[in-house]
Amino acid sequence: MAVIFKLSLSYLSRNKIQNALIALLLLLSTLLVSTATVILANTGNQFYEMHTRTHGSHQILTFEKGLNDPDAVHNWWASQDGVQVSPLLTYRTFSGIILNETHIPNIYLYMFNTPPPPWGVDELIFSSGTPDTVPEQGSVWIPTSMANAYHISVGDTIGFKTGSSTLELNVSGIVIDVPYGAPFSNTARVWMNPADYQHDLATLAGNENRMMGIHFNDYSMNSVYWERYNRETGIPFLESKMEFEAIASFYLIINQVIGFIMIFMGVVMLSIALMTIGFTIADAILANYRTIGILKSLGLTSRKTIGTYVIQYALISIVAIIPGLALSIWISKWIINISVSSLRVGNQNIPVHGLDAAILSGVLLFALVILFTVLYAKKARSIQPVQAIRYGMSETDHGRMAGKMNSPWAHWIGFTRLPVTAVLGFRHVFKNTKSSVLTLLLATMASSVLVLGYVLLTSITGIEQTAAKWGYDNANIAAVVVNKGNFPKTVLKHTLEEDTRISNAGWQGNTTGVISPESSATVKGQSLSLNLSVLDGSYQELGFETLKGGNPQHANEIALGVSVAKTSNKDLGDLIDIYIEGEKRTFLITGIYQAIANMSVSGRITIDAMRSVNPGYSEFDVIFINVNDMAQAGKVASELNEQFKDFASVVTQKTLLDSVYAEAANILIYPMSLIGLLFIIVTFIIIFSTCRINIRKESRTYGIYKSLGMTSRQIRLSLTMGMFILSSVGAILGIFVGVYLLPLLLEMVLSGYGIVQLPLILHWGGMVLFTCLSIIAASLGSWFSSRIIREASPRMLVIE
């Protein structure tokens, strides 16, 4: 045993740099795999725990259209067993805030008359500020999502536009408001002092609206309650209803995307790490072939020979995995705190679960290293002392190695017609097949990761270019109505018609449709509610897209979101019965589209379809506007916003989308940068390690080259050129993997959120630039590993 241990220590001390690089590679593999494990283990935990802690709503009912009596609905639900309801909250809608003398237009606010506690549902938890029953006079409570997005702290003053004047209120509390506190949301609930509300808002023109939250003891029974509601009241619920899935979706989507990408890349990196360890062991055995042969001739058994490598890599693994686990826990906490920052209480870190899973992944990694060590070290069993001493390898391997460069493949390439430096570079690549395949695979994966990260961030930051593919319109300007009671529709319509800069406009409203169980493939006895978009205008002109078919043009046509089409088992050309405001209408499905809003649980109908049910329908929420000259969009939006600022918020499409998705890009950039950096480091480490092994194996050959007149620089450039060409081929393959293969895997995650075809923006220049990072890393790894050629004399190289 002492002999085995001493041999293991000698291997460790003799190849310090190589063993240190393998340890670093294992550390990084542990870091990525364990971090991904913790993130996946925590996906949804923080949200569900906070939802339980606040007794959060499963459904939010909003009364803005006057189609249902809020008091009657509230009383019915309050009387049900197994259901809790919030107080009937009174609010007015505002648009935009003034912060530090800067006007921020694209944030939509529900200004609430705060009721005294207890509420029973959606209890607020203070992240900062002093808890109280209601806000103090002259102050408001705002949600963490709004505070984080605009960097607002307790004590700051926010200005709210109330017609021609501005209402300034201090922030006395920042609260966790689960239903309206998701990240990258541009809608927030602001809680006012009752006296301030009565004095400053109750006298304003327009209607007050009502809202209530419903919490089910068993959420799966919600459809049973709604069936009972429809049966007992005789009046279907026709106002807006926000489902629990919509509340949860934006809390979960970022962590699921990050976790999915990290676990996939972690598995890839782990596979490469294990392959590298196996390759290193195999070549270490080959490099020490004569020594092992001599030791076996002196009585060292095969089992003890294998044991020397097991001890060596067990020590390396222990040194690498333990700090890797510690770093992974720290990094996973950092990423989780960023991605669900709206659920943090004060400066406290969000409790992280799954640490046992991270430790288990470390133990599994250690076991895999030992297993691969044994599997590859078993090659030492076949070493024959006589062949080892004579050839430095088995006689079979010696013959195969000698014949490689004389193969028809080598003649086809035409080595005899190439410069000597090129021949040397290609010889290094073709002779060391295993390391070349590993290099090709590594360059491909590193390039694909960098390209995917770049494409994802580019696609999110430039989402205005693909807005229609995410389910939004593609109009140049959007006017969001915030004061429906006094909204001067006729004046705005006349203004739009008279302005020669405007090419067309469309007026969009929303209503709720219900698909009965008889018309769908849903669970028996359950109906399906969907958000129906009602457009007075042309879907085509405003840029709404579909995956299949087209948008509706007539009163009997409808386009369905992919989630609805899948749930109801409907396709193009099918008929579907939908209840709108309690009346049954039969529609022909003309198109199927995807939309991240409402998770594709939605549909599109024309204004004619809506007016066949309600002839006086005029509840429009948004006006989409196209201009003749895109350069004029900002100016037109600014002028319209100033003219109708008391009733609507008018912004360009880019402003509207950036306010929602800029935060998503900011959250994604950190983990994607981390993954990309790790793959660049790993590429360098593996190429350095494998090239160093190969150079040591052929030290005698390079000594002969130097003795014949080649300089160390020429030899090193030749080796680096071969690695540059090989990694370039891998990088080119990586571009296609990152653009066409990895997004398919990501779509598996996003399909649950209504996106089945990920809209990507491809800037080939940027992709090539990021791909070059993997090529540079591989080339530098090869260049630095060949320093031993420069440092050794020809005589010493030949002696080795």
Side-chain angles (χ1 to χ4, degrees), residues 29 53 163 179 219 228 239 384 410 474 547 580 620 726 769:
S29 299
R53 182 178 172 185
Y219 177 59
R228 186 189 306 166
E239 299 280 357
Q384 300 298 322
N474 203 27
L547 295 175
I580 304 173
F620 297 108
L726 184 63
L769 183 63

Side-chain angles (χ1 to χ4, degrees), residues 141-164:
W141 298 337
I142 65 171
T144 49
S145 55
M146 178 179 172
N148 294 339
Y150 302 104
H151 309 290
I152 303 173
S153 304
V154 170
D156 290 348
T157 300
I158 302 178
F160 303 92
K161 296 294 291 182
T162 58
S164 58

Side-chain angles (χ1 to χ4, degrees), residues 534-580:
V534 181
L535 186 69
D536 185 0
S538 170
Y539 282 104
Q540 189 68 26
E541 290 180 353
L542 297 173
F544 287 90
E545 291 190 8
T546 56
L547 295 175
K548 297 191 295 183
N551 285 298
Q553 298 181 21
H554 303 99
N556 66 332
E557 296 177 345
I558 190 172
L560 292 179
V562 289
S563 298
V564 178
K566 180 180 179 181
T567 303
S568 59
N569 195 28
K570 297 292 184 180
D571 207 339
L572 296 181
D574 291 343
L575 298 177
I576 187 168
D577 294 331
I578 298 180
Y579 288 85
I580 304 173

Side-chain angles (χ1 to χ4, degrees), residues 440 443-444 724-734 775:
L440 185 67
T444 300
F724 174 84
I725 294 173
L726 184 63
S727 60
S728 296
V729 174
I732 293 171
L733 293 174
I775 300 174

